[in-house]
Amino acid sequence: MKNLDRILVAIDFSDSSDKAFNTALFMAQKFSARLLLVHVINEPIDLRGFYVPHISFDKLEEEIKAGAEKMMEQFCRTHFNGFDNYESLIVPGIPYQEILAVAQDKQADMVVLGTHGRTGLDHVLFGSTAEKIVRKASLPVLTVRLSEE
Ligand code: AMP
């Protein structure tokens, strides 16, 4: 690694990603790095016109995106304390793929994420997104565990 200029942190709004965020922010401050917050809207199964033809899928997608943007705005408002060297992105897709794609696109030097996310399953070492990112990433990955157990 040449430098730590851009740190990507994956946010799924769980307590686990909150803790990962705190670690990422700490590092960004220490290394004067830019923080890239990424939230991936899990691509919903395509139900267009299949079960419920009268429901507009496009409208639903718009509302989900608007809801995610609101959550991200609120997250940034409550989690940043004067630190302003950051940007946030919301992208649709499969979380591990999009996180790695953004990391490459934005030339991140490191990815920080929780060992687990909103699905819990604490008995497994890593959640499925974390596990895939650790296995497939070509850049350093820092995983942060929520509890000390
Ligand atoms: P998981 O592997 O799904 O249990 O989640 C592990 C970590 O991956 C979370 O703590 C987040 O840091 C990240 N993550 C999971 N899902 C998403 C998502 N949809 N968008 C952004 N980050 C995510």
Side-chain angles (χ1 to χ4, degrees):
M1 188 193 296
K2 4 155 219 55
N3 226 330
L4 200 53
D5 294 328
R6 279 175 292 276
I7 300 172
L8 185 158
V9 57
I11 303 291
D12 68 352
F13 306 110
S14 63
D15 290 346
S16 187
S17 83
D18 248 38
K19 189 163 175 195
F21 169 83
N22 289 334
T23 305
L25 178 60
F26 174 81
M27 292 180 69
Q29 285 168 326
K30 281 267 174 221
F31 289 91
S32 303
R34 185 163 179 79
L35 208 51
L36 312 168
L37 280 70
V38 179
H39 175 67
V40 182
I41 300 173
N42 250 309
E43 199 89 282
I45 304 159
D46 194 348
L47 299 173
R48 226 172 312 208
F50 185 57
Y51 299 117
V52 274
H54 57 282
I55 284 188
S56 156
F57 196 76
D58 293 343
K59 179 95 185 114
L60 180 65
E61 272 187 338
E62 263 172 42
E63 285 188 16
I64 290 172
K65 186 153 189 278
E69 275 164 2
K70 220 170 172 178
M71 284 176 83
M72 184 59 98
E73 270 168 33
Q74 192 182 347
F75 185 94
C76 293
R77 235 192 348 265
T78 53
H79 286 69
F80 284 112
N81 219 342
F83 182 89
D84 61 2
N85 189 11
Y86 74 91
E87 65 188 278
S88 62
L89 290 102
I90 299 198
V91 285
I94 298 168
Y96 85 91
Q97 285 180 354
E98 296 306 323
I99 290 164
L100 291 177
V102 172
Q104 189 174 25
D105 197 42
K106 296 273 179 181
Q107 298 180 310
D109 299 301
M110 175 180 279
V111 172
V112 181
L113 74 167
T115 53
H116 300 83
R118 284 187 299 169
T119 41
L121 296 180
D122 207 28
H123 60 279
V124 293
L125 192 55
F126 287 124
S128 71
T129 303
E131 197 250 329
K132 288 194 188 91
I133 289 180
V134 166
R135 273 201 297 119
K136 293 176 187 277
S138 53
L139 75 167
V141 177
L142 176 64
T143 60
V144 181
R145 194 171 163 76
L146 180 60
S147 68
E148 302 292 310
E149 297 150 26

